[in-house]
Amino acid sequence: MLKVAVISKTPENWQSFEASNEADAIYERIKLALINISREETLWLLSPMNRGIETLAAELAVNLKGNIKLECVIPAEEQAKDWSEPERDRYFSIIERCELENMLSTKETDKSQKLCYSYIISSANLILLGEPPSDEIAKLIAESGKKVIEI
């Protein structure tokens, strides 16, 4: 089984991003990557379920048929508390269909996201990377020695 982390900063205006041509192109690249990787062996996708590319990849994983499994690595139980109702519905729909929900903390702290990214980076064999969420996470990725595919 190949474990693949998907990591990307949430776009500042993520709502308009998801309706953009750029998002469509990224969607297709992620879809092709997941399909191609899962042809050889079972793919276990790890997603922190943040808005944007990370949730998009998670949704693809649960919708694609084949050798793709999803682990939702949730930084804190409160992650979606400020999201709109349609956003929360999408979020919880994906979580309901994943193979494993891994909640790292019940309370959100200033270290929740770093802990989450540290977990998925150390667990993964391969990283699908958009724009790193922060310089600190970019450093963790670089120091991990893991193969990185930019999306």
Side-chain angles (χ1 to χ4, degrees):
M1 179 177 307
L2 182 66
K3 291 190 174 186
V4 178
V6 61
I7 299 173
S8 187
K9 178 179 182 177
T10 299
E12 285 188 36
N13 191 348
W14 62 270
Q15 290 166 319
S16 64
F17 167 78
E18 285 205 355
S20 71
N21 290 336
E22 180 185 3
D24 291 342
I26 290 170
Y27 175 90
E28 288 302 319
R29 287 196 299 270
I30 294 171
K31 183 178 177 180
L32 284 172
L34 296 180
I35 290 170
N36 287 331
I37 293 168
S38 67
R39 283 187 182 149
E40 300 293 320
E41 61 185 300
T42 300
L43 183 154
W44 188 267
L45 187 75
L46 299 127
S47 174
M49 296 294 292
N50 291 306
R51 291 173 170 146
I53 293 171
E54 295 171 351
T55 298
L56 181 73
E59 193 168 43
L60 266 166
V62 295
N63 289 335
L64 288 172
K65 305 293 183 218
N67 293 329
I68 303 173
K69 309 293 181 200
L70 174 63
E71 178 178 350
C72 296
V73 183
I74 301 165
E77 188 173 14
E78 309 167 323
Q79 180 171 4
K81 71 177 179 175
D82 296 327
W83 297 13
S84 70
E85 187 173 341
E87 293 168 332
R88 285 192 312 273
D89 288 347
R90 179 183 182 200
Y91 174 83
F92 288 116
S93 171
I94 294 167
I95 291 171
E96 287 172 357
R97 296 180 287 154
C98 75
E99 276 66 39
L100 179 62
E101 175 185 355
N102 189 349
M103 189 169 313
L104 300 181
S105 176
T106 55
K107 290 285 185 187
E108 193 167 342
T109 69
D110 57 346
K111 296 180 182 179
S112 297
Q113 289 291 326
K114 182 181 179 193
L115 175 65
C116 181
Y117 285 116
S118 294
Y119 172 84
I120 66 172
I121 291 166
S122 66
S123 298
N125 307 104
L126 172 70
I127 298 169
L128 296 179
L129 180 65
E131 183 181 343
S134 68
D135 291 340
E136 186 175 36
I137 303 307
K139 184 178 177 184
L140 284 175
I141 294 167
E143 291 174 351
S144 73
K146 307 287 173 93
K147 182 177 179 181
V148 175
I149 297 175
E150 292 188 17
I151 50 174

